[in-house]
Amino acid sequence: MTRPRPTYILIALGVILLDQVVKAAVRPRLNLFDSIDIIPGFFSLTRVHNTGAAFGLLNALDIPFKSAVMALVQTTALVGLAIYAATLAPGQRLTRVGLSFVIGGALGNLIDRVYAGYVLDFFDFYWRGWHFWAFNIADASITIGVALMTLDVLGAGRSRVSRTL
């Protein structure tokens, strides 16, 4: 196992800070389902509460202690990610950066879930009658992190030695 480097911790902390600052700015300005058009016909800030998992999955599920169960699942996943991060080789920088974004985003959303019982989402992209799932800075960070990890798996950033026969 390797120790996390300050750079990766700073990335995660930066994501958490940015996510929470933006959410703190949105909360007093928008009530649930209120919307402000930014680019009419394409992008709005629309306040929604996600009590489920990613992309609003399980939002309609009504079980006792749902918020606590979701927080426990999310915490378990975070522990798994931290353990995985500790096993990465030092040269896997892209994966380490990606995991920093994923962990920072997951922690940002976990803070919401623990303190409010839901995750605050507000970026609303749409075209005509079709709406993409509303999301927040933490969700975008998780997506960026997964993309970076995927690029690492695909070999981006590694030099390839070509062989001639």
Side-chain angles (χ1 to χ4, degrees), residues 39-125:
I39 302 172
F42 181 69
F43 173 60
S44 297
L45 295 179
T46 304
R47 182 175 177 160
V48 295
H49 296 171
N50 182 352
T51 60
F55 308 114
L57 295 173
L58 306 177
N59 262 352
L61 182 66
D62 189 22
I63 60 171
F65 309 108
K66 179 180 178 182
S67 184
V69 169
M70 295 303 295
L72 180 62
V73 168
Q74 196 169 355
T75 301
T76 303
L78 274 164
V79 169
L81 286 173
I83 291 168
Y84 172 63
T87 66
L88 291 172
Q92 291 181 275
R93 288 186 190 100
L94 204 51
T95 294
R96 289 176 177 274
V97 170
L99 272 172
S100 299
F101 276 93
V102 170
I103 290 170
L107 283 169
N109 281 340
L110 181 60
I111 290 168
D112 279 15
R113 196 172 300 284
V114 168
Y115 288 105
Y118 59 86
V119 174
L120 175 62
D121 290 328
F122 46 86
F123 292 130
D124 180 20
F125 287 89

